[in-house]
Amino acid sequence: NICTWCFLGYNMLIYYSALIGIPNDLYESARIDGASELRIAWSVKIPQIKSTIVMTVLFSVIGTLQLFNEPNILRTSAPDVINSSYTPNIYTYNLAFNGQNVNYAAAVSLVVGIIVMALVAVVTLSGVWAFWVRGQAESANAEAARLVAETKEWQAKHDVLARQMAEKRLPAALQNELE
């Protein structure tokens, strides 16, 4: 597709700038851990630029739904491949100007707009949801760390009491209660 080649450079520029923003410390620590370049790409780079990938895919889908000029020009060269409903915009154009069905064309345009808005909302809300889940996981990890520290503190107190009991240094009332 001609648009794939037109916007490939645009997307690559966005990916390149996102990859430059990844701290070198992540690469170094992955290499120290013995990760191969493929493992670094899969486990470090892709997770770090996941939001960029989602953004470029979203822009590409919206751009595909807006596609009009290229297929309209190439339709004379390949009429069997590019028909009157090749893209939503060509379909709307043919309804409005070739079929004189302006009301139906307006309805199709409105539905395409609603589909794009729904797609953007789903992507946005999934990003917000992922951010919320990540925040919940971080707070759960903090709570778990607090509980581990509290358990270690109780274990230390228990060990002190057990040692004192073994050395018979506890008061008799407390020693009888523990036995």
Side-chain angles (χ1 to χ4, degrees):
N1 191 340
I2 199 169
C3 289
T4 302
W5 295 108
C6 287
F7 291 104
L8 185 68
Y10 171 77
N11 287 337
M12 286 301 118
L13 195 61
I14 292 173
Y15 291 140
Y16 179 69
S17 61
L19 286 170
I20 287 175
I22 299 174
N24 287 332
D25 299 346
L26 295 176
Y27 300 135
E28 290 174 16
S29 59
R31 285 188 184 95
I32 289 171
D33 289 342
S36 65
E37 289 301 317
L38 180 64
R39 188 67 175 162
I40 290 172
W42 188 256
S43 299
V44 175
K45 292 179 182 179
I46 290 177
Q48 289 292 318
I49 66 167
K50 185 172 64 170
S51 61
T52 303
I53 294 170
V54 169
M55 182 191 71
T56 55
V57 167
L58 184 65
F59 285 173
S60 297
V61 169
I62 292 172
T64 301
L65 291 172
Q66 292 177 345
L67 194 60
F68 179 78
N69 286 337
E70 294 85 354
N72 198 33
I73 292 170
L74 294 173
R75 190 164 51 174
T76 57
S77 302
D80 295 334
V81 177
I82 302 173
N83 57 17
S84 63
S85 61
Y86 187 70
T87 66
N89 283 345
I90 289 179
Y91 182 61
T92 303
Y93 176 83
N94 285 325
L95 282 173
F97 298 110
N98 293 341
Q100 300 300 317
N101 198 348
V102 179
N103 294 334
Y104 187 56
V108 169
S109 295
L110 188 64
V111 168
V112 169
I114 289 171
I115 289 171
V116 169
M117 287 190 320
L119 178 66
V120 169
V122 165
V123 169
T124 302
L125 291 176
S126 67
V128 168
W129 183 78
F131 182 75
W132 181 80
V133 167
R134 193 172 331 142
Q136 294 298 319
E138 288 173 0
S139 66
N141 287 342
E143 179 67 15
R146 186 188 66 76
L147 289 173
V148 166
E150 191 175 293
T151 303
K152 286 181 180 178
E153 181 182 327
W154 281 103
Q155 183 66 40
K157 287 180 181 179
H158 177 269
D159 291 345
V160 167
L161 287 174
R163 201 173 329 111
Q164 287 177 350
M165 192 171 115
E167 295 171 357
K168 305 277 187 194
R169 291 189 320 185
L170 287 176
L174 186 58
Q175 191 170 358
N176 290 337
E177 186 177 317
L178 289 175
E179 292 175 353

